């Protein structure tokens, strides 16, 4: 069986490896979310420019409080 002097560093190394894998997953998730937010902002900006460029007629109210 493994000696306790060898087992302790191996367990520590395993814990460190798991922590690094979790941190890597969090960093990759952050960059994906950040990239998606940037994409959505650019789409919103382009749609805003299109909406400002197209003139819109004011809509008449369908119902008024005054009877005809």
């Amino acid at each position: 069986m493994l000696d306790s002097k060898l087992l302790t560093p191996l367990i520590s190394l395993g814990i460190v490896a798991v922590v690094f894998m979790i941190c890597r997953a969090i960093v990759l998730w952050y960059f994906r979310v950040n990239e998606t937010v940037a994409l959505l902002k650019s789409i919103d900006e382009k749609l805003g420019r299109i909406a400002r460029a197209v003139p819109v007629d004011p809509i008449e109210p369908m119902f008024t409080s005054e009877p005809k």
Side-chain angles (χ1 to χ4, degrees), residues 4 6 8 10 13 15 17 19 25 29-30 32 35 38 40 44-45 49-50 53-54 57 60-61:
S4 65
L6 182 61
T8 305
L10 285 176
L13 186 62
I15 291 172
V19 169
W29 174 82
Y30 171 78
R32 276 191 223 131
E35 183 179 313
L40 290 174
D44 183 47
E45 183 180 320
R49 275 192 250 138
I50 291 170
V54 176
D57 293 332
E60 289 185 26

Side-chain angles (χ1 to χ4, degrees), residues 7-65:
L7 193 58
T8 305
L10 285 176
I11 291 174
S12 298
L13 186 62
I15 291 172
V16 168
V18 169
V19 169
F20 278 138
M21 287 189 298
I22 291 171
C23 289
R24 182 179 179 267
I26 290 171
V27 168
L28 291 176
W29 174 82
Y30 171 78
F31 281 118
R32 276 191 223 131
V33 169
N34 199 19
E35 183 179 313
T36 304
V37 168
L39 177 65
L40 290 174
K41 283 182 181 179
S42 70
I43 290 172
D44 183 47
E45 183 180 320
K46 288 177 185 177
L47 289 175
R49 275 192 250 138
I50 291 170
R52 286 189 299 271
V54 176
V56 178
D57 293 332
I59 300 172
E60 289 185 26
M62 294 179 67
F63 303 103
T64 58
S65 58

